[in-house]
Structure formats: structure tokens, C-alpha cells
Amino acid sequence: MNTDLVAQRFAQAQSSYEQQAIAQRRVALELIQRMQLHVPPHLQRILEIGCGSGLFTRQLMQHYSFDQLFLNDLYPKVKQHFDEDARIYWGIGNIETLPLPQSLDLVVSCSALQWVQQLEALFLKIHQALNPSGWLCFASYAHDNLKEIKALTGQGLDYLSLSQMVELLESCGYEVLIQEEQHLILEFEHPRDVLKHIKATGVQANAEGFRWTKSSLQQFYKQYQQFQLPGSQQYPLTYHPIYLIARKRP
């Protein structure tokens, strides 16, 4: 995966992301609600992977108190979405190659880990950075995510299933306390609106070398009709979020 391209696509979408990220906003709320069932509200050191425009970060800061919050993303312009705060520290770059802050109480990520290429290596690196019984909580996506787009264009990520993710976490030394998945269906008036949504959120940031032509767009619009909901004039787009609340085994 070209991480420079991923960063570029998300940077291009940053001005429109907040308005268009309907599913991601719902996922952020769902993740914070699940965290509150297990993770104590007062922590010292937190790392968030892939903070983006701060959609999840704001939920985190609203519901949790902390001494230090380390924020990570691929490109430095994300900083403009955050107010000055002496508790916030930045780590810009690919989380797979960046050194992690140590003695962490909590590592969180919302709608970002699906971009990680070597997930096992990252989970092990996080495990080393966590305090004993520290928390790893995240929302990512599974195989049905944006399935309509992948069916028509062949473009999309390869996702782990929920059970595969649980197995991977357990093999890396975590106890999984919550494992859940959902299907969120967004509806649009026309297939072109589906494409506008995808561009505005950057979720197809891996589509390197893929270019639309007038004829391929028309074919896409026509073929997308097969997904039209029965008795509806709307066109669906599927999101398949998964939620994991895990704890480092003592």
C-alpha cells in the first residue's frame, strides 16, 4: 500500500470529511460507548492512532480525563483541527514505523487500523508500550465494507473478519472483552452521490492508478442499480464496522 497516496487522499478530503463522515461519526460514538463499559474514566497516558480531523478525539476528551494524549496521523495538516493543549503531543507519520511512547494506559483507534499492512507487528509493538493491564480499544472494518464499490470496480481493501481479529489479538497477548460487528447502510439518491461521498471522506484512498472515464462512470451508474433497495428509489452503501475492547494480559 502506498501510504503517501493514502495521506494525500485524506489530506484532500479533510475539508469535507467532517460533513460527509456520517458512518464514521456513528462508529466513533459506538466505540466510546463500549469503552465506557470497561475502561476507567481517569487515565494518565493515552495514544490515539489515526486521529484525522478529531472526530473520535473529541469524544475521547469529553469522556476521559488524562495527563498526556499522544496523537498520531500520516500528515501534519491534521494539527489545524485541534486547539492548543499542553497535554497533547504529536507523532506524525506511519504508525507502523514510528517509535511509540511507552508506559501507556490506553491505545485507541477509530476507523484507521484497516490501513495497517502488518497488523500483528503493530499489535505486538503496542503490547510492549502498554502498562500491565493496559487497554487497546479500536473500531475498524470487516469484509462487507464498501462491498458495492468493490463488486463493481475491484477497488478496495482486504479486511480481516471479526473472528480473525480476535484470534490475532489473543495470539499477541491480549484478553478480548468486547467483540461486536455491525452493518451500517447509508442511502443515496444517485450512484454519483455515492462516489461524491467516498471522495469527500477519503475512504477509497488506496485506489492508485484508478481513473474514471465518462463511459466507465455511466457503466458504474447503470450497474449500481442492481443494489437498489426493494421498493426504494435509494442507492445503498454498506459499512461493516467491528468493535474490539481488549486488555493486555498481566
Side-chain angles (χ1 to χ4, degrees):
M1 185 182 298
N2 186 337
T3 54
D4 290 337
L5 179 66
V6 173
Q8 178 187 337
R9 294 282 169 81
F10 276 107
Q12 291 169 345
Q14 64 177 325
S15 61
S16 56
Y17 184 87
E18 285 283 322
Q19 181 181 358
Q20 290 291 331
I22 304 164
Q24 292 84 352
R25 184 174 291 105
R26 166 81 178 274
V27 170
L29 290 170
E30 297 277 356
L31 177 59
I32 207 76
Q33 289 171 2
R34 284 155 179 77
M35 286 173 58
Q36 289 179 288
L37 298 175
H38 289 280
V39 182
H42 307 293
L43 301 163
Q44 290 184 309
R45 290 162 64 84
I46 301 173
L47 165 66
E48 182 184 356
I49 297 170
C51 64
S53 62
L55 194 150
F56 176 77
T57 317
R58 289 191 288 276
Q59 292 292 327
L60 181 68
M61 296 179 75
Q62 181 179 337
H63 292 94
Y64 284 87
S65 63
F66 52 85
D67 296 330
Q68 295 173 306
L69 174 59
F70 300 89
L71 295 180
N72 156 261
D73 211 294
L74 286 171
Y75 59 100
K77 285 187 177 180
V78 296
K79 295 181 182 180
Q80 69 185 13
H81 299 290
F82 297 83
D83 296 329
E84 286 290 328
D85 191 320
R87 300 171 299 167
I88 292 179
Y89 300 81
W90 287 95
I92 300 297
N94 185 347
I95 197 65
E96 297 186 68
T97 56
L98 284 177
L100 299 187
Q102 300 297 298
S103 302
L104 295 168
D105 299 306
L106 169 66
V107 176
V108 294
S109 183
C110 189
S111 299
L113 291 186
Q114 68 272 15
W115 299 105
V116 171
Q117 292 181 276
Q118 302 295 330
L119 204 52
E120 181 177 11
L122 180 60
F123 284 164
L124 290 171
K125 188 162 75 166
I126 291 170
H127 190 275
Q128 293 177 337
L130 283 170
N131 286 325
S133 301
W135 300 91
L136 171 58
C137 305
F138 63 91
S140 187
Y141 296 89
H143 59 276
D144 281 344
N145 202 56
L146 309 179
K147 63 180 182 179
E148 298 87 355
I149 305 300
K150 195 166 190 176
L152 297 186
T153 69
Q155 297 291 318
L157 297 174
D158 294 321
Y159 300 97
L160 294 181
S161 67
L162 180 61
S163 60
Q164 287 173 322
M165 194 72 83
V166 170
E167 184 177 343
L168 183 58
L169 284 166
E170 291 177 342
S171 72
C172 292
Y174 298 90
E175 177 188 7
V176 177
L177 301 176
I178 290 180
Q179 48 172 303
E180 292 184 29
E181 61 186 327
Q182 294 175 329
H183 285 79
L184 304 178
I185 311 296
L186 302 188
E187 297 182 4
F188 299 88
E189 292 185 359
H190 192 278
R192 78 169 65 90
D193 299 318
V194 176
L195 292 183
K196 287 179 181 177
H197 165 78
I198 286 172
K199 183 177 181 180
T201 55
V203 295
Q204 283 293 94
N206 64 319
E208 186 173 11
F210 186 82
R211 296 290 181 270
W212 289 105
T213 65
K214 186 175 181 180
S215 61
S216 65
L217 274 174
Q218 291 303 320
Q219 184 180 18
F220 176 84
Y221 297 158
K222 184 177 180 180
Q223 291 180 332
Y224 210 97
Q225 293 176 7
Q226 67 185 279
F227 304 121
Q228 204 166 17
L229 302 171
S232 170
Q233 297 300 311
Q234 301 290 95
Y235 295 87
L237 180 66
T238 302
Y239 282 86
H240 185 182
I242 58 175
Y243 305 94
L244 282 303
I245 306 298
R247 195 170 193 181
K248 179 177 178 177
R249 289 202 198 99

